[in-house]
């Protein structure tokens, strides 16, 4: 979809990949970008009148409904908000596991449900969900987070099938390691969030169904396509 003049909503837009998505969308000529944030005080100054701040905690149903009401029209919804609490399968608490599901899975689903009518009103549009390469195969120490992203991967595929008749295209985004707060504890090669955001927006503009926005995820894409079991074995060694 050509980004020029389009209206886009980005969840979790106050930092990390989300903030750089806002910047990349503006650079690509978006007409309006709604920047969703739990706390509006944490939003950076994007220095652009096309940005509108919207308070949105995706785990609060009333906030999700209010955000959808605030948005008059919409072409593209980017579900970027995410958390990573549950690490080791053996030590993750029920609260950690539930927190990852609450944001990454249930929260994203509730945003999709609330925002689909806005896309329908425009005769169609795009929903892009930020997953992770860990949605395709987990690594040790990622059990709860990977499960929440795998659940979202499944819902993304279901949404693709269910929303096609409404002319809504559903896009999966599978980042590898990106240099944000979420990946602060990860000591490996990481892409910059700005570079990943640029690749994501290029992928949206190029109407890619699956976007692998960084060098590591691009390698994973090849592996996943040709040898998913091999990918599981490879990730298990990392
Ligand atoms: N960094 C990586 O290596 C990597 C790799 C694969 C996938 N991803 C995915 O990329 C997305 C962006 O992550 P990031 O790397 O930019 O991480 P980040 O810097 O930790 O940012 C996470 C964003 O999600 C927001 N958020 C968390 N809980 C929320 C809630 N309940 N409602 C609304 N917003 C909420 C945060 O807002 P607050 O500031 O209010 O907490 C923040 O804006 C996530 O979905 C993540 O899973 C990241």
């Amino acid at each position: 979809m050509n980004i020029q003049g389009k209206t886009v909503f980005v969840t979790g837009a106050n930092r990390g990949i989300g903030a750089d998505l806002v910047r990349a969308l503006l650079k690509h000529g978006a007409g309006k970008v709604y920047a969703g944030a739990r706390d509006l005080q944490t939003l950076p100054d994007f220095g652009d009148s096309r940005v509108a701040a919207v308070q949105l905690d995706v785990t609060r149903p009333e906030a999700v409904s209010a955000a959808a009401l605030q948005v008059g029209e919409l072409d593209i919804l980017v579900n970027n908000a995410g958390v990573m609490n549950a690490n080791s399968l053996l030590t993750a608490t029920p609260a950690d596991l539930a927190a990852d599901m609450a944001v990454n899975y249930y929260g994203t689903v509730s945003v999709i449900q609330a925002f689909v009518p806005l896309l329908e009103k425009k005769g169609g549009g795009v929903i892009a969900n930020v997953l992770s390469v860990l949605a395709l195969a987990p690594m040790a120490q990622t059990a709860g987070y990977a499960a929440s992203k795998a659940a979202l991967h499944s819902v993304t595929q279901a949404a693709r099938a269910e929303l096609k008749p409404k002319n809504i295209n559903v896009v999966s985004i599978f980042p590898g390691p990106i240099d944000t707060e979420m990946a602060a504890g990860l000591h490996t090669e990481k892409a910059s969030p700005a570079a990943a955001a640029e690749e994501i927006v290029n992928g949206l503009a190029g109407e890619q169904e699956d976007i692998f926005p960084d060098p590591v995820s691009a390698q994973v894409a090849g592996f996943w396509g040709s040898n998913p079991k091999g990918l599981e074995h490879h990730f298990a060694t990392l």
Side-chain angles (χ1 to χ4, degrees), residues 8 11 17 25 34 42 46 48 59 62 75 77 89 112 128 147 152 155 170-171 174 181 193 217 232 235:
V8 191
T11 67
I17 297 169
L25 288 160
Y34 289 100
T42 63
F46 291 106
D48 195 305
T59 64
E62 68 284 7
D75 298 296
L77 167 65
L89 173 65
I112 291 172
L152 183 57
V155 136
V170 181
V171 175
F174 297 99
E181 281 180 46
S217 67
E232 180 189 332
F235 274 5

Side-chain angles (χ1 to χ4, degrees), residues 59 83-87 91-104 106 144-145 148:
T59 64
V83 291
M84 179 162 59
N85 292 294
N87 298 317
T91 56
T93 65
D96 291 336
L97 295 165
D100 283 355
M101 290 300 283
V103 178
N104 301 343
Y106 292 112
Y145 173 75
S148 70

Side-chain angles (χ1 to χ4, degrees), residues 27 39 56 69 80 85 106 114 124 150-151 154 161 178-179 208 211 230:
K27 194 183 120 197
D39 177 357
L56 177 59
L69 273 179
N80 164 75
N85 292 294
Y106 292 112
S154 176
I178 311 294
D179 195 5
Q208 290 176 25
I211 301 175

Side-chain angles (χ1 to χ4, degrees), residues 12 14-15 17 38 56-58 80 82 131 145 149 176 178 180:
N14 55 311
R15 60 188 169 98
I17 297 169
R38 287 197 292 188
L56 177 59
D57 179 334
V58 301
N80 164 75
L131 306 164
Y145 173 75
K149 290 291 185 173
I178 311 294
T180 66

